[in-house]
Amino acid sequence: MGFIRGFAQFWYDFIIGDDWKIAAAVLTVLVVGGACVLAGVTGLWLAPVLAVGIALAFVAALLIDVRS
């Protein structure tokens, strides 16, 4: 049982890390991108739009942390 708990703790620390807001924002952008692909909305513009979305989410999380 200790191995399973340690394994889960490692992945939690690796993915979530210090800031859960960034992890949630990245997950949200990836879900939106996956929904676009499943809906058939593809093209050369999708990857750059998702990259900008992740960058904006990071900036928003950073501004929230700096402000408070």
Side-chain angles (χ1 to χ4, degrees):
M1 193 60 148
F3 173 75
I4 295 173
R5 184 174 182 189
F7 188 73
Q9 184 67 35
F10 164 76
W11 282 107
Y12 178 82
D13 286 341
F14 182 71
I15 294 172
I16 304 297
D18 293 331
D19 195 2
W20 64 270
K21 293 181 290 299
I22 294 173
V26 169
L27 181 66
T28 302
V29 171
L30 290 176
V31 167
V32 168
C36 287
V37 169
L38 288 176
V41 181
T42 58
L44 293 176
W45 58 271
L46 185 60
V49 167
L50 294 177
V52 169
I54 289 175
L56 288 176
F58 176 75
V59 169
L62 187 63
L63 288 175
I64 290 170
D65 287 341
V66 169
R67 186 181 65 165
S68 59

